Amino acid sequence: MSGREAILAKVRKSLGGGQNDAARLAAVEARLDKAPKGVIPERGQLDDKARRRLFVAMAERVSASVRQVKSHDDVPKAVAEYLRSRNLPAAIRVGADERLAQMPWAKQKALNVKHGASDGDDEAGVSHAFGAIAESGTLALTSGGDNPTTINFLPEHHIVVVDANDVAGDMETVLAKLRRQYGKGEMPRTLNFITGPSRSGDIEQKLLLGAHGPRALHIIMVGG
């Protein structure tokens, strides 16, 4: 018996369970199948328009900037305008997200669109969010080749596109949608929750943006 097995055997014995305790296994499976719901704050429980207004207000409160556009076709122009407003190079890094790929980037002739994961030398990256949380102004982004996690954290400016219809009132709704869409065995390796640009107050309690990631977060909300 290995040291690990010995330790686990002692834990089982102290809990009064054996190695093949069918009752305990059944209890665990039942708990996972029908997980209880926690308390959900009322702040995000609003109608569609009010919920989206709350998301914008909360995102701006944590130092993110928000631009609302009518359709996905308006996104490339909004991205180009953001870069010009910040005096940034006309270049972005994007993954293989199908929604981003269908947008008319070619109409922005001066814009250089680079594909794939960021190597850390990109000034700006563009991702498409899986969803958003109104009560905290938070974005939810799944990892993968469509939206590489490196784009979330390495560029100085992170531009995130989110559909207005994907703005939920609370985190629990976003997690429930994730389970429905992916299911067991198909979940993304990582779900990143992003609330405003990276920040730290470790040094003399002075707020410093960009301490551990992008120093600017720009959200483009489509529709609504």
Side-chain angles (χ1 to χ4, degrees), residues 52-73:
R52 292 160 188 167
R53 287 197 299 268
L54 176 62
F55 170 71
V56 172
M58 296 303 294
E60 291 177 341
R61 183 177 293 183
V62 293
S63 303
S65 56
V66 183
R67 170 80 180 273
Q68 295 178 262
V69 298
K70 292 182 178 180
S71 74
H72 290 96
D73 289 345

Side-chain angles (χ1 to χ4, degrees), residues 185-198:
E186 300 294 334
M187 298 290 280
R189 186 173 185 180
T190 304
L191 176 66
N192 292 299
F193 288 110
I194 298 175
T195 308
S198 171

Side-chain angles (χ1 to χ4, degrees), residues 192-214:
N192 292 299
F193 288 110
I194 298 175
T195 308
S198 171
R199 67 191 66 211
S200 174
D202 293 342
I203 302 174
E204 297 182 351
Q205 297 184 346
K206 293 182 179 179
L207 184 63
L208 175 66
L209 296 180
H212 311 294

Side-chain angles (χ1 to χ4, degrees), residues 35-47:
K37 294 183 178 180
V39 177
I40 297 177
E42 292 186 6
R43 180 165 59 185
Q45 309 311 304
L46 304 166
D47 61 54

Side-chain angles (χ1 to χ4, degrees), residues 1 9 21 27 31 53 56 93 100 103 130 142 144 155 157 168 180 185 197-198 202:
M1 179 182 292
D21 190 339
R31 172 85 176 188
R53 287 197 299 268
V56 172
R93 172 75 63 176
L100 294 178
M103 297 175 185
F130 174 78
T142 55
H157 294 257
R180 288 195 307 270
S198 171
D202 293 342

